[in-house]
Structure formats: structure tokens, C-alpha cells
């Protein structure tokens, strides 16, 4: 997988750990971004204040005043 | 069957789903990666070195993500972390020597299993008892909301802190502790880790809180910081012998990173006493699983190995399900009050 089998053992080990490290940082940043974008809407769905369809079609207000302050 | 980079999509989805489950527990309790992954990989038919190596690489990745989050929240004490690494490394070496001596005598498996059951069960029973007492003396895992400076120091830690042996070290939170106490606790937890062959988060985190008096959010963050180093070095060593399989680690990490966010968010919603009880139940069921596996070995009944794994996976599913259910129930119970907090 990932085509690193041809490398020497030490270099391959370093690349493997590097891949895990990079994936971890990318996931941290990526999921953080997703949480910032979709987190408030998801919370409203879980609270029962909006239906999932309303969120998908952007009919769910994102703040108490209906999103006017954004 | 659809394949992605030469690996079955079903297998990748299975690992990602399993990672999500583990991530919820990791995010919620700040620990619990390796003791779930390695046994599961063994039962799936992977070689022991691949199960351990890939489990270590997974723990390394998860601890990097969790440490980044705790760093953002100011919950990592780097000075304490580096001292703990020094003490733990020495303890690990001595623990390994002890284990090798037991292996020569042919007693390693039995002694390690009994010690593991007693330790896991003992900590689980202690935490559950403290939680059921309901006097605030137990673990408090609300990592996002607790002000470390105002956190309550357990009585045992207060007594230990009263012994002022030079040199004294000032830690995050403004209190001072003897350097020897830190190194002693680190050495003891490293000794147990080396002896039991486990990561040691379930030993070190309560030890930091109950013995040194480190507030739980900082204990969790600092413990994770230490795991970045131990997991990184461990996975590098295993990777040199080709024992780290990225087709296992990559999907597991993708699932667990998402689960860890959900678990961490749940800590802000679920009542503290419930968190402590869940934590205690996890450890007690873990102890039961190890005991069943050991009995299976003694009676030569391989089926008990599968029963042991079923207990571990069942416990993970049960506790992560209970955590998710409690969090959603809390969210739905007072939507208007919570909404203000959420938007703030």
C-alpha cells in the first residue's frame, strides 16, 4: 500500500510513521473545519429544533435571531 | 468486491467503523486505544507483531490528534510531561527486565494476567466507588470546561504534596511538587507498563491525579503528550521489521479522529458522575475479559479467547453507546437553555 515497499527498512519505517503523523494532522485540521461548518446545524438537529431536511436545504436558522447577526 | 489501493472497501469500512467506536471512548476518557485494537487484530488473524505494531501506530496517531486539541485548550504541562517521560522510560526498562526474568521461570503469562486483572479491576472498582459516593472526590473528565486553577486536589495528593523534598518543581496550576515524587510516580507507572506490556494510560492518568494532584484536564493532556513519544518510538521500532500495516492504521485513524471529536464534545454534556461510572465499568469489564482469556488458556479452551474479545468489544460498544445516548438526551432535554450555550 502507498508504494513504499521498495524502500529500505529504516527509511520505510520513517515514512510509515511520517504518513501516520501527516494523516493525524490533516484529520485534526479537516475534521476541525467540518465541525466549525456543520457543528451548529448538527446540534440543532439533535436538539430537535430543526429537521435534517431543513439543514440540508439551508432552511434551519443558525442563531437564536434567525441568523441575522451573521 | 470494490478495492481501494489494493485493500477491500469492506475491510476499510470495518476498520473506520471500529475506529469511530474507539475514538468516542478515547475522546471521552482520554485513553483506551491499544487494549481494544490489538486483541481485535489478533482474533482477525493478523500476526502478533503486526497487531502490536499497527496498534501502536494507531495509538501514536490518535494521541497526536488528542494532544493538539488539549494544547489548544492549554491543557498540556510540557515540563511535567518531559519529567514523566524520563521516569517512565527508566521504569519501562526495569519492568521489561522483570518480565524477562519471569519468562525464564515460565511464569510470565500467569503473573502478568493476574497483575493485569487486579490492577484494572482495582482501579475500576476504586473509580466507580468514588463516583457512587458522589462527593466530588473522583475523576472529573470534563476536559473542556474545568478551570485547572480551581480544580479540587484529592486528599491523598494533598498529603503527598505536603512532603517537601528538595528540589521542588512548580507545575501548571500554580502548585509545587517534589521532583522526586514526579520521577517516583513516573517510574512506578513505567514499571507497570513495561511489566504488563501495555501503553499505561489507564495507570498514569489516575496516578497523575490521585498521587501528584494534577487537575484531570491537564493530567489527560500531559498523559497524551507522553503517549505521542512512546507511541511514536514504539511504532518506529515495529515499522523497521515491517510490522506496521497502513491498510489497518489509516482507516482506523480516520474513524477514530471523528469519534474523538464526538467523545470530547460529549464530556461537556454528560453529568460528571455518569462519566466516572462509565469509566469504572469499562475498566471492570476489561478486567473480566482478561480473566476469561486467562482461564481459557489454563483450561485450554480457545473459545474463551473469543468470549474475551466479545466482552471487550461489547464493553466498547455498550459504553460508547451509553455516552452517545446520554449526550443526545442531555441535548434534547433543555434545548432552549443549551442553545444559548451553543451559540455563545
Amino acid at each position: 500500500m502507498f508504494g513504499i515497499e521498495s524502500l529500505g527498512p529504516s527509511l520505510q519505517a520513517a515514512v510509515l510513521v511520517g504518513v501516520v503523523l501527516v494523516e493525524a494532522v490533516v484529520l485534526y485540521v479537516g475534521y476541525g473545519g467540518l465541525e466549525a461548518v456543520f457543528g451548529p446545524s448538527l446540534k440543532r438537529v439533535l436538539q430537535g429544533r430543526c429537521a435534517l431536511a431543513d439543514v440540508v436545504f439551508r432552511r434551519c436558522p443558525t442563531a437564536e435571531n434567525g441568523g441575522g447577526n451573521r | 468486491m470494490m478495492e481501494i489501493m489494493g485493500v477491500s472497501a469492506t475491510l476499510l469500512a470495518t476498520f473506520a467503523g471500529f475506529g469511530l467506536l474507539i475514538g468516542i471512548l478515547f475522546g471521552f476518557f482520554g485513553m483506551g486505544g491499544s487494549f481494544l485494537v490489538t486483541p481485535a487484530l489478533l482474533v482477525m488473524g493478523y500476526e502478533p507483531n503486526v497487531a502490536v505494531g499497527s496498534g501502536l501506530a494507531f495509538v501514536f496517531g490518535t494521541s497526536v490528534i488528542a494532544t493538539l486539541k488539549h494544547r489548544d485548550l492549554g491543557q498540556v504541562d510540557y515540563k511535567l510531561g518531559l519529567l514523566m517521560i524520563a521516569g517512565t522510560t527508566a521504569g519501562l526498562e526495569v519492568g521489561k527486565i522483570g518480565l524477562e526474568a519471569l519468562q525464564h521461570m515460565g511464569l510470565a503469562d500467569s503473573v502478568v494476567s493476574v497483575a493485569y486483572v487486579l490492577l484494572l479491576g482495582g482501579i475500576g472498582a476504586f473509580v466507580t466507588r468514588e463516583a457512587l459516593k458522589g462527593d466530588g472526590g473522583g475523576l472529573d473528565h470534563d476536559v473542556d470546561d474545568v478551570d485547572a486553577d480551581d480544580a479540587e486536589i484529592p486528599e491523598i495528593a494533598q498529603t503527598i504534596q505536603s512532603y517537601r523534598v528538595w528540589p521542588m518543581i512548580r507545575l501548571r496550576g500554580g502548585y509545587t511538587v517534589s521532583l522526586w515524587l514526579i520521577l517516583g510516580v513516573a517510574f512506578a507507572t513505567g514499571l507497570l507498563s513495561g511489566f504488563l506490556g501495555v501503553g499505561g494510560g489507564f495507570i498514569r492518568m489516575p496516578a497523575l491525579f490521585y498521587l501528584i494532584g494534577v487537575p484531570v484536564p491537564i493530567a489527560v493532556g500531559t498523559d497524551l503528550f507522553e503517549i505521542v513519544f512512546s507511541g511514536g518510538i514504539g511504532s518506529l521500532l515495529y515499522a523497521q521489521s515491517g510490522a506496521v500495516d497502513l491498510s489497518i492504521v489509516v482507516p482506523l485513524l480516520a474513524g477514530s479522529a471523528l469519534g474523538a471529536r464526538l467523545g470530547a464534545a460529549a464530556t461537556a454534556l454528560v453529568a460528571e458522575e455518569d462519566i466516572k461510572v462509565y469509566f469504572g465499568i469499562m475498566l471492570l469489564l476489561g478486567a473480566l475479559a482478561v480473566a476469561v482469556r486467562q482461564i481459557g488458556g489454563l483450561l485450554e479452551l480457545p473459545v474463551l479467547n473469543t468470549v474475551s474479545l466479545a466482552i471487550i468489544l461489547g464493553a466498547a460498544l455498550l459504553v460508547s453507546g451509553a455516552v452517545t445516548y446520554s449526550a443526545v438526551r442531555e441535548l434534547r432535554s433543555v434545548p432552549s437553555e443549551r442553545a444559548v450555550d451553543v451559540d455563545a
Side-chain angles (χ1 to χ4, degrees), chain A residues 1-2 9-10 13-14 16-17 19-21 23-24 27-28 31-32 35 43-49 62-64, chain B residues 5 57 60-61 64-65 68-69 72 236 239-240 244 246-247 249-250 253-254 257-258 261 331-332 338-339 342-343:
Chain A
M1 197 183 184
F2 296 102
S10 297
L16 279 170
V17 175
V19 167
V20 175
L21 182 63
E23 188 197 359
L27 288 171
Y28 178 72
Y31 282 141
E35 187 180 319
K43 276 175 184 159
R44 279 168 175 72
V45 172
L46 292 174
Q47 285 167 343
R49 296 166 66 209
T62 53
E64 289 303 292
Chain B
M5 297 186 84
F60 166 62
V64 167
I65 294 169
L68 285 170
K69 177 163 172 60
D72 289 349
L236 190 69
Q240 281 175 338
V244 173
L246 281 183
S247 67
V249 181
V250 168
L253 198 53
L258 179 62
R261 286 197 169 266
L331 263 177
R332 294 187 82 95
R338 292 267 177 210
V342 167
D343 294 335

Side-chain angles (χ1 to χ4, degrees), chain B residues 157-224:
Chain B
Q158 282 180 20
T159 309
I160 293 175
Q161 279 181 14
S162 67
Y163 301 114
R164 307 187 72 76
V165 183
W166 186 87
M168 300 297 287
I169 303 286
R170 192 171 188 83
L171 298 177
R172 204 182 188 101
Y175 56 93
T176 54
V177 181
S178 169
L179 170 69
W180 302 110
L181 167 65
I182 297 169
L183 292 178
V185 169
F187 182 82
T189 54
L191 189 73
L192 286 169
S193 292
F195 188 67
L196 298 175
V198 293
F202 75 93
I203 306 167
R204 205 160 41 236
M205 211 275 290
L208 281 170
F209 174 65
Y210 285 110
L211 299 179
I212 301 182
V214 179
V216 169
I218 296 176
V220 173
T222 307
D223 181 35
L224 288 165

Side-chain angles (χ1 to χ4, degrees), chain B residues 4-136:
Chain B
I4 301 168
M5 297 186 84
V7 185
S8 147
T10 314
L11 190 65
L12 291 176
T14 306
F15 281 134
F18 187 42
L20 182 75
L21 199 72
I22 297 167
I24 291 175
L25 298 174
F26 199 91
F28 197 70
F29 299 122
M31 49 168 262
S34 58
F35 85 97
L36 288 167
V37 174
T38 305
L41 292 177
L42 285 172
V43 169
M44 286 173 79
Y46 286 95
E47 291 295 321
N49 63 332
V50 174
V52 175
S54 302
L56 271 172
F58 165 70
V59 169
F60 166 62
T62 312
S63 61
V64 167
I65 294 169
T67 304
L68 285 170
K69 177 163 172 60
H70 284 269
R71 185 203 60 141
D72 289 349
L73 296 166
Q75 293 167 348
V76 180
D77 189 331
Y78 295 101
K79 186 166 42 174
L80 176 64
L82 291 174
L83 289 172
M84 288 293 292
I85 288 170
T88 306
T89 309
L92 273 168
E93 286 301 320
V94 178
K96 261 166 55 185
I97 293 168
L99 187 62
E100 282 163 9
L102 281 174
Q103 274 173 336
H104 282 302
M105 289 186 268
L107 295 169
D109 197 30
S110 330
V111 173
V112 166
S113 294
V114 170
Y116 198 76
V117 169
L118 290 178
L119 198 67
L120 213 58
I123 296 173
F126 176 71
V127 172
T128 310
R129 195 197 64 165
E130 291 286 304
L132 294 176
K133 266 167 40 182
D135 60 355

Side-chain angles (χ1 to χ4, degrees), chain B residues 35 116-117 120-121 281-291 311-312 315:
Chain B
F35 85 97
Y116 198 76
V117 169
L120 213 58
I281 289 171
M282 259 310 282
L283 294 183
L284 287 172
L285 287 174
L288 178 68
V290 176
I311 294 172
I312 292 178

